Amino acid sequence: MEKVLTKNIVPGNGARGIDDYEKTGGYSAYRKAVCELTPADIVKLVTDSGLKGRGGAGFPTGAKWSLTMPIEKSARPRYFVCNFDEMEPGTFKDRFLVENDPHQLIEGLAIASYACRMDVAFLFIRGEYVQAAKILAKALEEARNKGLIGKNVFGKGWDFEMHIHTSAGRYMCGEETGLLNSLEGGRANPRSKPHYPGTSGVWGKPTVVNNVETLCCVPHIVENGAEWFKSLGKAKDSGTKIYGASGKVNKPGAFELPMGSTLREVIFEQAGGMQQGYSFRAALPGGASTQFMDESLLDVPLEFESMKEIKHFFGTGVAVVLDDKTCPVGMCHNLLAFFARESCGWCTPCREGLPWLRNVLLRLERGLGEPGDIDALLVDQARLLGPNTYCALALGAVQPLLSAIELFRADFEAHIDLKKCPYKQGIG
Amino acid sequence: MLSDIERQRIDELLLHLPTKRAACIEAMKIVQEESGWISDQVLDDLAKYLEMTSAELDSVATFYNLIHRKPVGKHVIRICDSVSCWLMGEELLMDYLCQKLGIEPGQTTHDGMFTLLPIVCLGHCEQAPAMMLDDTIIGNLTPGKIDKILMEAAGTS
């Protein structure tokens, strides 16, 4: 199959420098964009390509760009922000792309900034990605020294700047408007919408925020066209996808496959199947904010459209695998503990509701559950499905639990009946 | 008082930012390098420099996982306790570390060498279980590997 984003990546070789990147055709799409195409041409190309946001929400990228306030009416400067606050539990695909091929992201961000007529671009990097931030800083310096960023790029009168912002660790920074507040030097609380960032974003100026993997697709679309990009997908959505797997599989890692590949391909072919002594029970297909998929869903195309049809979120596409020796109730407790801790506290249902769910799960896991607890979990999580909060953190948080009670109800009941966790690995 | 070098590094950030406040998170990371945490005095000094009130800056400081408002040890160990690491035995490792260091999560060893903290997903799930030792992420942890890491860290400080 055709590899696109990882074509030139040799794991273990470290980050590719600018000379290496240019030797394999790097920055030619950027040159083509600025020298031969208008910004409107590129927006149309990306719209036609069917590219959807790879951060998890799957919003059509071309539509997001089109919805940005036209430059004629706009306050300046205008901002493009790359969301590299990869903090969805189980997800490491963006780090994989950046640590191996940083210029691909810089080129994508530069083209996107040109297409949306942005003056300044920010690379928003989560605080724990110290290594990736160093790699990007070096790559940015290389690109600037070659005149690819700055004044009058390619002699075409195109001026723009690109900067790095390193954050200090908070899941909410990955939420589009929380990220903007963080960039302004505040707490990463979400903003009320509308206005959307395309109208009033960071510092009140028109802003577009895109995920790392989304931006990495852009040079390839400019180079090879919208039809080519569409043809890469196996099912309904376009392009390739960086899938991945973690948990008790033989070869955990990130793998580029056609969009629309299945859990069976990701877990049992790419990740080498389950480790000896463990069998597959279920997987969260795209991080902690997605629902468990059991064996019956192993052949569903993992992409935004097909997952919507079965009422699942696709998420980030990086799977977390639950094996038969691990307690699903314990896993739900771990997931809810994460969300309860990372809730920013801005909206009451999320701030108060998530710790409540976590506490009930902890009680169950410790064998202190009571017969009404499972139904109480269902009632409370229904309140978090929205729309009672500014952002989707709580909505994401209850996805695994929602599906776990459906798929593993017997496990939940066993904790109550036996007054203990029936699995060896429990929590205290 | 902020040092000349700290001020210089913060000024560099300010060059490309439209407001002083926008530099505050990265500036806190800069002033935290000196002693590993931000005292009230340092917070006040930095707030003044960035034309914020101390309360405003503190509201930001207390929001972010990597900013410390209490003293920490020479080395900070952050154990990822999110789902992939949990699946791969994080709880056993945390217990091992607590035992070995003689402290609970959130505490610092008596000799001031190590602070042990839990942290959310570090994005190194393919190398689970993983931790951060100061600025470095280390994956595929085992008790043996942890012994080695602690010994080396204690030796180099």
Side-chain angles (χ1 to χ4, degrees), chain B residues 98-116:
Chain B
C98 287
Q99 227 174 23
K100 177 119 187 153
L101 297 172
I103 52 175
E104 294 286 308
Q107 296 179 338
T108 300
T109 52
H110 290 302
D111 60 0
M113 189 62 80
F114 295 105
T115 296
L116 181 61

Side-chain angles (χ1 to χ4, degrees), chain A residues 2 4 227-234 237-240 257-259:
Chain A
E2 189 174 358
V4 180
E227 284 310 311
W228 165 84
F229 191 72
K230 270 174 149 167
S231 74
L232 295 171
K234 259 181 163 178
D237 284 334
S238 305
T240 61
L257 296 172
M259 182 63 101

